[in-house]
Structure formats: C-alpha cells, structure tokens
Amino acid sequence: MPAQKTSSYLADLERDGFVVVKSIVSPEKLATLREAATKVEAMARKGEWPHIRTVGKQFPPWQWEPEKGIWGVQHMMNPDLPGHEIFTELYFSEEVLSIVKELLQCEDEQLVMELFNMLVRPDGDFELRWHRDDIPAEATPEEEMERLGHPGFHAQYNFALWEDESLVLVPGSHARARTDAERAAGTFEPVLPDQLVVKLEAGDIAFYNNNILHRGVYDSKKDRVTLHGSVGHSGGSNLRARNVLQHGIGKWVDQVDFSKLKPEERARAEAMRARLVKMGSDAGDVGYSLQG
C-alpha cells in the first residue's frame, strides 16, 4: 500500500527536520512484522541474540550485560536472525523507499543500504541525553554550522509497530547552531524551549534528520517495538561512513538474503548493498561518532 501523499514530505523535513507519514503498510503486513519482532525481542531479552543495545549506554559499541537489560536489538537483516527475511522485505520495500527517494531527491541508482535495528521497552527506565548523532556536544557554534551546512545524504526513520511517544526533538534545530539556552541546559534536561514529542500510531513512520537536536525517553512500564532504520545517498559516502559502519554491519552484509524480494526490488537491493560495500572499502577504519 504506497503512501497516499508525497508532495509535502520534503518541505516538512526541510522546515522542521522531521516528517511523519501515516499508515504506510497494510494491516496484514503490520501483523506479520509484529509477530516476527515479538519473537526477536523475546530472544534478545534472554540473551539468545548477541547484538543488542544495553540499558545505560547510549552509543556503540554495546555488549550483553544481563543485569542491565536491553533497549534495542541490532542487525535486523542479519541472516542469522530468525525472521530476517521479513525485516529485509520491509527495508527494501516500495512503501519505504518511495518516500526515501522523495526526501533525498534521488532515484534508485543513488540509494545506499545502511542500517536496520529495533528499539524496545527498556528493562528499567532509561533516557538518552540531548544530542546530534554525528556532532559532539563540545562543538562550537561555528563547528556545528560547518557540519550542518553539508547535505545530510541520508533518510533516518522510526517505524512504529505499536504506539510510540519516545522521540523528543526540537523542530528546526537541524538547520542552526544550538541556542544559548540549549547549550546551558543539562544533558538530560526534561524540557527545552519549543521541544516536541513525536507521537506515532502503529504503522506510522517518522523520518528525521539525525543531526536535529533530539533525545529518547523510554518508559519501562510501556511496551515499545519500533524499527529504526536509515537509507543513504551515494553522494555522501565519506560523511556517512562513520555513522553507518560503526555498528558492525560490514561483518555480515554480504550474506543478507534477498531471495524473498520481488525481482525488481531484489535488483535494487543488490545495487544498494554494492554501494555500501564500496563505501566500506573506501572508508577504512572509521571509529565511533560519539562516546557514552
């Protein structure tokens, strides 16, 4: 079921730094994704899937620490993960990529395979600090604007399988340096001026610039299963290399199974993977974007 409206998505993203698209998949596909995701979440909570995000640690690398619990599951397209083909099908689907192409103003030939992970209810209340994904908090206003002045060359999204109100952001902050008030605020400041809680219903998808000022607030008493992905543009390989490859995708990307995709989607997926592999070979050792 392709998106019903596309004309304003790019305008919203450029103005606000994020855009919400309602109900992008059929009820049947949503039910299939929910079933597969629930099984993966249960595996991860029992330590049966090693690629997780540990409560108390915001950025990679993560390791399994059962006493802390998890707030996310990594590598949804890894062929060793049960149900990987269901998540791979969604990632490369027209429902998602048609919107991505409008936001990136590109065609299939510029798309780059990137990340697909899952964010879940933490085992204890957990908050992320205010941050931009690829700009350190210590950056000066001039350094912020230098980085923000480059095209984003990616489309990052949260696709909610159940209702989700975890993403908090400051609309418009993707296009400017932090204000004096934002710089003076605590790293876990409960409320910043003009902040907004992004509210998603099941089946909604929110695209956002990953360098918008944002944080996550995760309630251990409220179920959450949200697929968290990104798709790149070939024009940004050097800028995007660290953000993508720090997650360890290069260890298994050549094994991703495209056999369940439609022929035209499979050809597109193969080409997107080839561009990611080239990005990795060109980038070398990329390190980590942020620490903590």
Side-chain angles (χ1 to χ4, degrees):
M1 185 168 65
Q4 298 299 306
K5 170 188 171 190
T6 59
S7 59
S8 70
Y9 297 158
L10 180 60
D12 289 350
L13 182 69
E14 290 181 338
R15 182 188 65 243
D16 299 326
F18 77 101
V19 59
V20 174
V21 185
K22 306 294 290 182
S23 300
I24 69 163
V25 300
S26 68
E28 294 76 17
K29 180 173 283 190
L30 181 63
T32 298
L33 287 162
R34 282 178 159 185
E35 181 180 5
T38 299
K39 292 177 181 177
V40 169
E41 180 187 10
M43 283 181 57
R45 292 194 187 281
K46 291 186 290 186
E48 296 174 359
W49 180 250
H51 308 296
I52 44 77
R53 298 186 179 199
T54 311
V55 170
K57 193 170 191 307
Q58 182 160 343
F59 304 111
W62 294 280
Q63 60 185 15
W64 169 243
E65 299 179 60
E67 70 281 5
K68 295 182 178 179
I70 67 170
W71 64 279
V73 183
Q74 299 289 96
H75 305 328
M76 303 305 287
M77 295 187 285
N78 187 317
D80 292 332
L81 181 72
H84 63 88
E85 68 281 358
I86 295 169
F87 303 111
T88 299
E89 183 180 21
L90 177 69
Y91 182 89
F92 292 104
S93 69
E94 189 64 16
E95 288 96 330
V96 173
L97 294 183
S98 63
I99 304 170
V100 168
K101 287 190 292 183
E102 198 229 333
L103 297 179
L104 295 182
Q105 293 290 279
C106 72
E107 301 299 331
D108 288 348
E109 291 73 21
Q110 285 82 49
L111 294 176
V112 180
M113 177 183 175
E114 289 194 350
L115 303 172
F116 206 29
N117 303 311
M118 187 168 74
L119 308 178
V120 300
R121 175 188 59 78
D123 291 304
D125 289 351
F126 179 50
E127 299 181 8
L128 306 184
R129 65 180 187 248
W130 286 104
H131 67 287
R132 306 183 192 270
D133 280 4
D134 204 28
I135 302 176
E138 300 76 21
T140 66
E142 293 75 20
E143 289 169 339
E144 282 187 284
M145 289 308 301
E146 193 281 329
R147 176 62 186 88
L148 295 174
H150 294 287
F153 287 124
H154 74 284
Q156 181 163 301
Y157 60 84
N158 285 353
F159 177 77
L161 299 185
W162 278 271
E163 290 183 2
D164 189 340
E165 298 182 0
S166 302
L167 176 63
V168 186
L169 48 74
V170 180
S173 60
H174 66 298
R176 59 164 175 80
R178 284 168 293 168
T179 65
D180 290 342
E182 289 164 352
R183 286 181 171 276
T187 53
F188 296 96
E189 192 75 31
V191 180
L192 285 183
D194 302 319
Q195 77 169 42
L196 180 145
V197 176
V198 178
K199 298 182 179 182
L200 301 177
E201 298 177 345
D204 293 352
I205 190 167
F207 287 88
Y208 62 100
N209 185 310
N210 75 336
N211 279 325
I212 197 171
L213 190 60
H214 67 286
R215 68 190 295 244
V217 180
Y218 308 132
D219 185 345
S220 62
K221 300 179 291 298
K222 187 173 182 179
D223 283 335
R224 181 199 193 198
V225 183
T226 292
L227 295 168
H228 179 58
S230 67
V231 180
H233 184 294
S234 58
S237 57
N238 290 334
L239 290 172
R240 290 294 295 160
R242 181 174 64 245
N243 236 343
V244 174
L245 299 172
Q246 66 179 339
H247 290 264
I249 186 174
K251 297 176 182 177
W252 50 265
V253 67
D254 61 323
Q255 303 166 47
V256 176
D257 181 9
F258 297 147
S259 64
K260 301 296 185 183
L261 301 183
K262 301 172 185 176
E264 62 275 15
E265 292 180 347
R266 180 171 184 172
R268 177 167 63 187
E270 294 280 6
M272 290 174 64
R273 174 167 61 184
R275 293 183 198 105
L276 174 63
V277 171
K278 182 179 187 303
M279 182 173 77
S281 62
D282 291 346
D285 184 7
V286 296
Y288 294 96
S289 293
L290 300 173
Q291 303 295 320

